[in-house]
Amino acid sequence: MKNLFTASLLSLGLAFPAMAQDAGGRLDIVVQPEPPSLMLGLVQNGPTQLVAGDIYESLLRYDTDLNPQPSLAKSWEISDDGMTYTFNLHEGVTWHDGEPFTSEDVVFSVDTFLRETHARLRVSLQHVDTITAPDDHTVVFKMKNPFGPFIGVFEAGTMPMVPKHIYEGTDFANNPANNTPIGTGPFKFKEWQKGSYIHLVKNEDYYLDGQPYLDEVYYRVIPDAASRAVAFENGEVDVLPGGSVENWDVKRLTEMDNVCSTGKGWEYFAPHAMAWMNNREGPTANKNFRKAVMYAMDREFVRDVIWNGFGKVATSPVSSKTNFYTDDTIMYDQDVEKAKELLAEAGYDGEPVRILPLPYGETWQRWAEAMKQNLKEVGINSEVVATDVAGWNQKQAEWDFDIAFTYLYQYGDPALGVARSYLSSNIAKGSPWNNVAGYANEEVDAMFAEAAVAPTTEARQEIYTEIQKQLVDDVPVAWLLEIEFPTIYRCDVQDLVTTAIGVNDGLRDAWIKQ
């Protein structure tokens, strides 16, 4: 067996800084919008992950270079042929109700519960043959074929552990325990006052000695971005997770006394802003029209003015911040004349296109207006269709749009977070997430399948380079920005971001300097 990682907890420099941690205190964090649920095995949207990532855990965490780190698994091995993953679990771990956590919980969580409830993980589990528990503290995954990205799926939002003794044999979606979530994490669910706050308290029986350091956490629901900024200014909240306030407020808030910020903690997600372009009908069904949209956009302006420099122009479906990116593609720098030429080749007759902004605040509305202006400059007529979150979800899920803003996470590997947006097998009404554009290319499908199981990093890079060249030429979506969401917090809050998913699992390590 090849020993990938065996470490004592004391070796984890990120999680255990040199200075002594002060115990105690309360942390107030903004969560927006309010989560629809805290049952992480059923719901994986951003707000749910932010709160539930401290209630639930998985086998691993990931540092900011995407290297796996211990969580419920203290060590693990991958066989030389990549066909067997063996995880050695911490002993003495209990669920929040006091029941012991064992390898049987892992087998149930992954092989039964999440296979049914977690569409994104289900894709990765297609490569898994069996999951077994030879003893209470060992779990063995046997693969059908080598799958290099597999070591990257063991974080809480992708593979949360759920208690077998509560969910086995039940209707998962309607289990009463969904309202009072029970995990193994550093904090336990206490109370949820809808529209106001979610209260978590310290898990006194947590398996890491001395952790967590905080006594309690309040996730504050404040619907308006301006009010969230004021609450931070007034000291009502201590942490503004990325995206909590409008971009133009970031500079002002970070210039206040005792205020710190960081762009770290998004490496695993690598949020990629793009606009679905309807490949099925209307002007956007024409490839030359879609290329004209790319050349029309002034994405540098968007980055510098609308996003206040928090981002990088996206040049590919793969983020430059994750693995297997290439810049050997068409760049689509703004070129008004080129856009006009392509519109002429497309035979565009002036039919208006509908732009659907993301209903996550004024920044996205301004972005849609900037796109509308850019399109007008090259001769494309358009209208911005404003919606709320429910309407935005419905219009995308029903393919009722021409151009629709979104951003998706990349999860550290194209096989996990990129392929889903372009595989023809993912074209299905009802989902606002996977291949909403309706792009279908059998050659690209085949290349994605080959790249996922290629035996070496070099072989995977070669295939993903070809995929990116093809996609950037077909331009099924408009790639916009590799967006950055700075986390803003009081400087006396220490070790808030210690992993590649940031605040979502950061409260295990966080403490307040007294």
PDB file of all heavy atoms in Angstrom, residues 187-212:
ATOM      1  N   PHE A 187     -19.676  21.928  16.692  1.00  0.00           N
ATOM      2  CA  PHE A 187     -20.794  22.678  17.264  1.00  0.00           C
ATOM      3  C   PHE A 187     -22.097  21.913  17.081  1.00  0.00           C
ATOM      4  O   PHE A 187     -22.298  21.214  16.091  1.00  0.00           O
ATOM      5  CB  PHE A 187     -20.885  24.074  16.635  1.00  0.00           C
ATOM      6  CG  PHE A 187     -19.768  24.971  17.066  1.00  0.00           C
ATOM      7  CD1 PHE A 187     -18.582  25.003  16.347  1.00  0.00           C
ATOM      8  CD2 PHE A 187     -19.870  25.736  18.217  1.00  0.00           C
ATOM      9  CE1 PHE A 187     -17.522  25.798  16.753  1.00  0.00           C
ATOM     10  CE2 PHE A 187     -18.819  26.536  18.636  1.00  0.00           C
ATOM     11  CZ  PHE A 187     -17.638  26.566  17.909  1.00  0.00           C
ATOM     12  N   LYS A 188     -22.977  22.078  18.061  1.00  0.00           N
ATOM     13  CA  LYS A 188     -24.264  21.393  18.070  1.00  0.00           C
ATOM     14  C   LYS A 188     -25.383  22.400  17.821  1.00  0.00           C
ATOM     15  O   LYS A 188     -25.328  23.550  18.256  1.00  0.00           O
ATOM     16  CB  LYS A 188     -24.487  20.698  19.424  1.00  0.00           C
ATOM     17  CG  LYS A 188     -23.434  19.662  19.768  1.00  0.00           C
ATOM     18  CD  LYS A 188     -23.838  18.830  20.981  1.00  0.00           C
ATOM     19  CE  LYS A 188     -23.879  19.650  22.251  1.00  0.00           C
ATOM     20  NZ  LYS A 188     -24.112  18.795  23.447  1.00  0.00           N
ATOM     21  N   PHE A 189     -26.422  21.921  17.154  1.00  0.00           N
ATOM     22  CA  PHE A 189     -27.597  22.755  16.908  1.00  0.00           C
ATOM     23  C   PHE A 189     -28.331  23.022  18.214  1.00  0.00           C
ATOM     24  O   PHE A 189     -28.582  22.110  18.999  1.00  0.00           O
ATOM     25  CB  PHE A 189     -28.528  22.056  15.926  1.00  0.00           C
ATOM     26  CG  PHE A 189     -29.818  22.791  15.692  1.00  0.00           C
ATOM     27  CD1 PHE A 189     -29.872  23.870  14.825  1.00  0.00           C
ATOM     28  CD2 PHE A 189     -30.976  22.406  16.346  1.00  0.00           C
ATOM     29  CE1 PHE A 189     -31.061  24.556  14.617  1.00  0.00           C
ATOM     30  CE2 PHE A 189     -32.171  23.084  16.149  1.00  0.00           C
ATOM     31  CZ  PHE A 189     -32.219  24.161  15.275  1.00  0.00           C
ATOM     32  N   LYS A 190     -28.664  24.300  18.438  1.00  0.00           N
ATOM     33  CA  LYS A 190     -29.395  24.688  19.645  1.00  0.00           C
ATOM     34  C   LYS A 190     -30.782  25.225  19.321  1.00  0.00           C
ATOM     35  O   LYS A 190     -31.786  24.784  19.879  1.00  0.00           O
ATOM     36  CB  LYS A 190     -28.588  25.728  20.428  1.00  0.00           C
ATOM     37  CG  LYS A 190     -29.266  26.291  21.667  1.00  0.00           C
ATOM     38  CD  LYS A 190     -29.354  25.255  22.777  1.00  0.00           C
ATOM     39  CE  LYS A 190     -29.885  25.869  24.073  1.00  0.00           C
ATOM     40  NZ  LYS A 190     -30.002  24.867  25.148  1.00  0.00           N
ATOM     41  N   GLU A 191     -30.834  26.215  18.407  1.00  0.00           N
ATOM     42  CA  GLU A 191     -32.115  26.896  18.169  1.00  0.00           C
ATOM     43  C   GLU A 191     -32.071  27.585  16.814  1.00  0.00           C
ATOM     44  O   GLU A 191     -31.030  28.050  16.359  1.00  0.00           O
ATOM     45  CB  GLU A 191     -32.362  27.920  19.279  1.00  0.00           C
ATOM     46  CG  GLU A 191     -33.670  28.683  19.148  1.00  0.00           C
ATOM     47  CD  GLU A 191     -33.806  29.792  20.185  1.00  0.00           C
ATOM     48  OE1 GLU A 191     -32.768  30.179  20.777  1.00  0.00           O
ATOM     49  OE2 GLU A 191     -34.919  30.298  20.372  1.00  0.00           O
ATOM     50  N   TRP A 192     -33.253  27.678  16.179  1.00  0.00           N
ATOM     51  CA  TRP A 192     -33.388  28.423  14.924  1.00  0.00           C
ATOM     52  C   TRP A 192     -34.621  29.303  15.026  1.00  0.00           C
ATOM     53  O   TRP A 192     -35.738  28.825  15.026  1.00  0.00           O
ATOM     54  CB  TRP A 192     -33.518  27.453  13.758  1.00  0.00           C
ATOM     55  CG  TRP A 192     -33.481  28.086  12.377  1.00  0.00           C
ATOM     56  CD1 TRP A 192     -33.577  29.415  12.059  1.00  0.00           C
ATOM     57  CD2 TRP A 192     -33.325  27.399  11.140  1.00  0.00           C
ATOM     58  NE1 TRP A 192     -33.489  29.597  10.704  1.00  0.00           N
ATOM     59  CE2 TRP A 192     -33.334  28.372  10.109  1.00  0.00           C
ATOM     60  CE3 TRP A 192     -33.181  26.057  10.788  1.00  0.00           C
ATOM     61  CZ2 TRP A 192     -33.214  28.035   8.747  1.00  0.00           C
ATOM     62  CZ3 TRP A 192     -33.062  25.722   9.445  1.00  0.00           C
ATOM     63  CH2 TRP A 192     -33.068  26.692   8.451  1.00  0.00           C
ATOM     64  N   GLN A 193     -34.393  30.598  15.149  1.00  0.00           N
ATOM     65  CA  GLN A 193     -35.478  31.580  15.093  1.00  0.00           C
ATOM     66  C   GLN A 193     -35.568  32.066  13.657  1.00  0.00           C
ATOM     67  O   GLN A 193     -34.756  32.872  13.205  1.00  0.00           O
ATOM     68  CB  GLN A 193     -35.196  32.745  16.048  1.00  0.00           C
ATOM     69  CG  GLN A 193     -35.338  32.410  17.513  1.00  0.00           C
ATOM     70  CD  GLN A 193     -36.796  32.271  17.933  1.00  0.00           C
ATOM     71  OE1 GLN A 193     -37.703  32.763  17.255  1.00  0.00           O
ATOM     72  NE2 GLN A 193     -37.023  31.575  19.045  1.00  0.00           N
ATOM     73  N   LYS A 194     -36.556  31.557  12.913  1.00  0.00           N
ATOM     74  CA  LYS A 194     -36.662  31.855  11.487  1.00  0.00           C
ATOM     75  C   LYS A 194     -36.690  33.363  11.259  1.00  0.00           C
ATOM     76  O   LYS A 194     -37.389  34.112  11.950  1.00  0.00           O
ATOM     77  CB  LYS A 194     -37.929  31.229  10.906  1.00  0.00           C
ATOM     78  CG  LYS A 194     -37.967  29.707  10.989  1.00  0.00           C
ATOM     79  CD  LYS A 194     -37.100  29.056   9.936  1.00  0.00           C
ATOM     80  CE  LYS A 194     -37.259  27.540   9.961  1.00  0.00           C
ATOM     81  NZ  LYS A 194     -36.554  26.861   8.874  1.00  0.00           N
ATOM     82  N   GLY A 195     -35.900  33.796  10.285  1.00  0.00           N
ATOM     83  CA  GLY A 195     -35.839  35.207   9.948  1.00  0.00           C
ATOM     84  C   GLY A 195     -34.965  36.021  10.868  1.00  0.00           C
ATOM     85  O   GLY A 195     -34.797  37.216  10.663  1.00  0.00           O
ATOM     86  N   SER A 196     -34.354  35.381  11.875  1.00  0.00           N
ATOM     87  CA  SER A 196     -33.566  36.130  12.845  1.00  0.00           C
ATOM     88  C   SER A 196     -32.164  35.536  13.049  1.00  0.00           C
ATOM     89  O   SER A 196     -31.161  36.183  12.762  1.00  0.00           O
ATOM     90  CB  SER A 196     -34.292  36.204  14.186  1.00  0.00           C
ATOM     91  OG  SER A 196     -33.561  36.979  15.111  1.00  0.00           O
ATOM     92  N   TYR A 197     -32.084  34.298  13.548  1.00  0.00           N
ATOM     93  CA  TYR A 197     -30.765  33.731  13.802  1.00  0.00           C
ATOM     94  C   TYR A 197     -30.835  32.207  13.909  1.00  0.00           C
ATOM     95  O   TYR A 197     -31.899  31.620  14.136  1.00  0.00           O
ATOM     96  CB  TYR A 197     -30.152  34.297  15.094  1.00  0.00           C
ATOM     97  CG  TYR A 197     -30.925  33.988  16.358  1.00  0.00           C
ATOM     98  CD1 TYR A 197     -30.791  32.751  17.000  1.00  0.00           C
ATOM     99  CD2 TYR A 197     -31.794  34.925  16.919  1.00  0.00           C
ATOM    100  CE1 TYR A 197     -31.503  32.459  18.155  1.00  0.00           C
ATOM    101  CE2 TYR A 197     -32.501  34.639  18.076  1.00  0.00           C
ATOM    102  CZ  TYR A 197     -32.360  33.399  18.687  1.00  0.00           C
ATOM    103  OH  TYR A 197     -33.057  33.112  19.826  1.00  0.00           O
ATOM    104  N   ILE A 198     -29.658  31.600  13.758  1.00  0.00           N
ATOM    105  CA  ILE A 198     -29.452  30.170  14.037  1.00  0.00           C
ATOM    106  C   ILE A 198     -28.372  30.099  15.113  1.00  0.00           C
ATOM    107  O   ILE A 198     -27.305  30.687  14.969  1.00  0.00           O
ATOM    108  CB  ILE A 198     -29.015  29.401  12.782  1.00  0.00           C
ATOM    109  CG1 ILE A 198     -30.082  29.502  11.691  1.00  0.00           C
ATOM    110  CG2 ILE A 198     -28.722  27.940  13.116  1.00  0.00           C
ATOM    111  CD1 ILE A 198     -29.608  29.027  10.331  1.00  0.00           C
ATOM    112  N   HIS A 199     -28.651  29.376  16.189  1.00  0.00           N
ATOM    113  CA  HIS A 199     -27.761  29.352  17.350  1.00  0.00           C
ATOM    114  C   HIS A 199     -27.129  27.963  17.467  1.00  0.00           C
ATOM    115  O   HIS A 199     -27.821  26.954  17.584  1.00  0.00           O
ATOM    116  CB  HIS A 199     -28.569  29.679  18.611  1.00  0.00           C
ATOM    117  CG  HIS A 199     -27.751  29.761  19.858  1.00  0.00           C
ATOM    118  ND1 HIS A 199     -28.307  29.659  21.124  1.00  0.00           N
ATOM    119  CD2 HIS A 199     -26.410  29.929  20.063  1.00  0.00           C
ATOM    120  CE1 HIS A 199     -27.358  29.770  22.027  1.00  0.00           C
ATOM    121  NE2 HIS A 199     -26.199  29.925  21.408  1.00  0.00           N
ATOM    122  N   LEU A 200     -25.801  27.900  17.426  1.00  0.00           N
ATOM    123  CA  LEU A 200     -25.049  26.675  17.659  1.00  0.00           C
ATOM    124  C   LEU A 200     -24.239  26.829  18.950  1.00  0.00           C
ATOM    125  O   LEU A 200     -23.800  27.931  19.277  1.00  0.00           O
ATOM    126  CB  LEU A 200     -24.086  26.368  16.508  1.00  0.00           C
ATOM    127  CG  LEU A 200     -24.642  26.307  15.092  1.00  0.00           C
ATOM    128  CD1 LEU A 200     -23.546  25.862  14.116  1.00  0.00           C
ATOM    129  CD2 LEU A 200     -25.854  25.400  14.986  1.00  0.00           C
ATOM    130  N   VAL A 201     -24.030  25.724  19.659  1.00  0.00           N
ATOM    131  CA  VAL A 201     -23.258  25.763  20.895  1.00  0.00           C
ATOM    132  C   VAL A 201     -22.121  24.741  20.819  1.00  0.00           C
ATOM    133  O   VAL A 201     -22.162  23.775  20.061  1.00  0.00           O
ATOM    134  CB  VAL A 201     -24.137  25.478  22.132  1.00  0.00           C
ATOM    135  CG1 VAL A 201     -25.175  26.567  22.304  1.00  0.00           C
ATOM    136  CG2 VAL A 201     -24.806  24.105  22.024  1.00  0.00           C
ATOM    137  N   LYS A 202     -21.127  24.957  21.629  1.00  0.00           N
ATOM    138  CA  LYS A 202     -19.936  24.125  21.656  1.00  0.00           C
ATOM    139  C   LYS A 202     -20.272  22.663  21.930  1.00  0.00           C
ATOM    140  O   LYS A 202     -21.076  22.347  22.809  1.00  0.00           O
ATOM    141  CB  LYS A 202     -18.997  24.653  22.744  1.00  0.00           C
ATOM    142  CG  LYS A 202     -17.714  23.867  22.950  1.00  0.00           C
ATOM    143  CD  LYS A 202     -16.846  24.540  23.989  1.00  0.00           C
ATOM    144  CE  LYS A 202     -15.521  23.806  24.189  1.00  0.00           C
ATOM    145  NZ  LYS A 202     -14.627  24.561  25.103  1.00  0.00           N
ATOM    146  N   ASN A 203     -19.642  21.782  21.155  1.00  0.00           N
ATOM    147  CA  ASN A 203     -19.740  20.341  21.410  1.00  0.00           C
ATOM    148  C   ASN A 203     -18.705  19.981  22.481  1.00  0.00           C
ATOM    149  O   ASN A 203     -17.517  19.859  22.187  1.00  0.00           O
ATOM    150  CB  ASN A 203     -19.486  19.562  20.113  1.00  0.00           C
ATOM    151  CG  ASN A 203     -19.514  18.059  20.300  1.00  0.00           C
ATOM    152  OD1 ASN A 203     -19.827  17.557  21.376  1.00  0.00           O
ATOM    153  ND2 ASN A 203     -19.190  17.325  19.242  1.00  0.00           N
ATOM    154  N   GLU A 204     -19.157  19.829  23.702  1.00  0.00           N
ATOM    155  CA  GLU A 204     -18.248  19.579  24.824  1.00  0.00           C
ATOM    156  C   GLU A 204     -17.558  18.219  24.719  1.00  0.00           C
ATOM    157  O   GLU A 204     -16.547  17.978  25.379  1.00  0.00           O
ATOM    158  CB  GLU A 204     -19.023  19.665  26.149  1.00  0.00           C
ATOM    159  CG  GLU A 204     -19.640  21.025  26.433  1.00  0.00           C
ATOM    160  CD  GLU A 204     -18.622  22.069  26.878  1.00  0.00           C
ATOM    161  OE1 GLU A 204     -17.437  21.705  27.018  1.00  0.00           O
ATOM    162  OE2 GLU A 204     -19.021  23.230  27.077  1.00  0.00           O
ATOM    163  N   ASP A 205     -18.103  17.332  23.889  1.00  0.00           N
ATOM    164  CA  ASP A 205     -17.550  15.984  23.761  1.00  0.00           C
ATOM    165  C   ASP A 205     -16.804  15.797  22.441  1.00  0.00           C
ATOM    166  O   ASP A 205     -16.624  14.660  21.985  1.00  0.00           O
ATOM    167  CB  ASP A 205     -18.683  14.948  23.862  1.00  0.00           C
ATOM    168  CG  ASP A 205     -19.391  14.998  25.206  1.00  0.00           C
ATOM    169  OD1 ASP A 205     -18.692  15.092  26.229  1.00  0.00           O
ATOM    170  OD2 ASP A 205     -20.636  14.964  25.226  1.00  0.00           O
ATOM    171  N   TYR A 206     -16.369  16.907  21.844  1.00  0.00           N
ATOM    172  CA  TYR A 206     -15.676  16.807  20.570  1.00  0.00           C
ATOM    173  C   TYR A 206     -14.383  16.013  20.726  1.00  0.00           C
ATOM    174  O   TYR A 206     -13.705  16.099  21.758  1.00  0.00           O
ATOM    175  CB  TYR A 206     -15.378  18.213  20.043  1.00  0.00           C
ATOM    176  CG  TYR A 206     -14.995  18.271  18.583  1.00  0.00           C
ATOM    177  CD1 TYR A 206     -15.799  17.688  17.614  1.00  0.00           C
ATOM    178  CD2 TYR A 206     -13.832  18.921  18.191  1.00  0.00           C
ATOM    179  CE1 TYR A 206     -15.458  17.757  16.273  1.00  0.00           C
ATOM    180  CE2 TYR A 206     -13.477  19.006  16.846  1.00  0.00           C
ATOM    181  CZ  TYR A 206     -14.291  18.410  15.893  1.00  0.00           C
ATOM    182  OH  TYR A 206     -13.945  18.474  14.565  1.00  0.00           O
ATOM    183  N   TYR A 207     -14.032  15.254  19.707  1.00  0.00           N
ATOM    184  CA  TYR A 207     -12.933  14.291  19.816  1.00  0.00           C
ATOM    185  C   TYR A 207     -11.549  14.910  19.768  1.00  0.00           C
ATOM    186  O   TYR A 207     -10.561  14.248  20.076  1.00  0.00           O
ATOM    187  CB  TYR A 207     -13.058  13.215  18.731  1.00  0.00           C
ATOM    188  CG  TYR A 207     -13.091  13.742  17.312  1.00  0.00           C
ATOM    189  CD1 TYR A 207     -11.927  13.851  16.561  1.00  0.00           C
ATOM    190  CD2 TYR A 207     -14.294  14.119  16.723  1.00  0.00           C
ATOM    191  CE1 TYR A 207     -11.954  14.325  15.252  1.00  0.00           C
ATOM    192  CE2 TYR A 207     -14.324  14.590  15.429  1.00  0.00           C
ATOM    193  CZ  TYR A 207     -13.162  14.695  14.690  1.00  0.00           C
ATOM    194  OH  TYR A 207     -13.197  15.174  13.408  1.00  0.00           O
ATOM    195  N   LEU A 208     -11.425  16.176  19.365  1.00  0.00           N
ATOM    196  CA  LEU A 208     -10.125  16.852  19.405  1.00  0.00           C
ATOM    197  C   LEU A 208      -9.993  17.574  20.739  1.00  0.00           C
ATOM    198  O   LEU A 208     -10.776  18.473  21.049  1.00  0.00           O
ATOM    199  CB  LEU A 208      -9.982  17.832  18.241  1.00  0.00           C
ATOM    200  CG  LEU A 208      -9.975  17.226  16.830  1.00  0.00           C
ATOM    201  CD1 LEU A 208      -9.743  18.314  15.794  1.00  0.00           C
ATOM    202  CD2 LEU A 208      -8.914  16.139  16.704  1.00  0.00           C
ATOM    203  N   ASP A 209      -9.022  17.201  21.494  1.00  0.00           N
ATOM    204  CA  ASP A 209      -8.863  17.713  22.852  1.00  0.00           C
ATOM    205  C   ASP A 209      -8.743  19.225  22.864  1.00  0.00           C
ATOM    206  O   ASP A 209      -7.916  19.808  22.160  1.00  0.00           O
ATOM    207  CB  ASP A 209      -7.620  17.082  23.490  1.00  0.00           C
ATOM    208  CG  ASP A 209      -7.504  17.411  24.967  1.00  0.00           C
ATOM    209  OD1 ASP A 209      -8.563  17.492  25.621  1.00  0.00           O
ATOM    210  OD2 ASP A 209      -6.372  17.584  25.450  1.00  0.00           O
ATOM    211  N   GLY A 210      -9.608  19.874  23.642  1.00  0.00           N
ATOM    212  CA  GLY A 210      -9.562  21.320  23.787  1.00  0.00           C
ATOM    213  C   GLY A 210     -10.340  22.092  22.749  1.00  0.00           C
ATOM    214  O   GLY A 210     -10.521  23.308  22.901  1.00  0.00           O
ATOM    215  N   GLN A 211     -10.795  21.437  21.703  1.00  0.00           N
ATOM    216  CA  GLN A 211     -11.536  22.139  20.650  1.00  0.00           C
ATOM    217  C   GLN A 211     -13.008  21.762  20.696  1.00  0.00           C
ATOM    218  O   GLN A 211     -13.362  20.688  21.185  1.00  0.00           O
ATOM    219  CB  GLN A 211     -10.928  21.793  19.280  1.00  0.00           C
ATOM    220  CG  GLN A 211      -9.553  22.418  19.067  1.00  0.00           C
ATOM    221  CD  GLN A 211      -9.005  22.171  17.671  1.00  0.00           C
ATOM    222  OE1 GLN A 211      -8.225  21.255  17.468  1.00  0.00           O
ATOM    223  NE2 GLN A 211      -9.428  22.974  16.732  1.00  0.00           N
ATOM    224  N   PRO A 212     -13.877  22.643  20.195  1.00  0.00           N
ATOM    225  CA  PRO A 212     -13.583  23.978  19.673  1.00  0.00           C
ATOM    226  C   PRO A 212     -13.320  24.945  20.813  1.00  0.00           C
ATOM    227  O   PRO A 212     -13.564  24.635  21.987  1.00  0.00           O
ATOM    228  CB  PRO A 212     -14.865  24.340  18.929  1.00  0.00           C
ATOM    229  CG  PRO A 212     -15.943  23.651  19.708  1.00  0.00           C
ATOM    230  CD  PRO A 212     -15.331  22.340  20.140  1.00  0.00           C
TER     231      PRO A 212
END
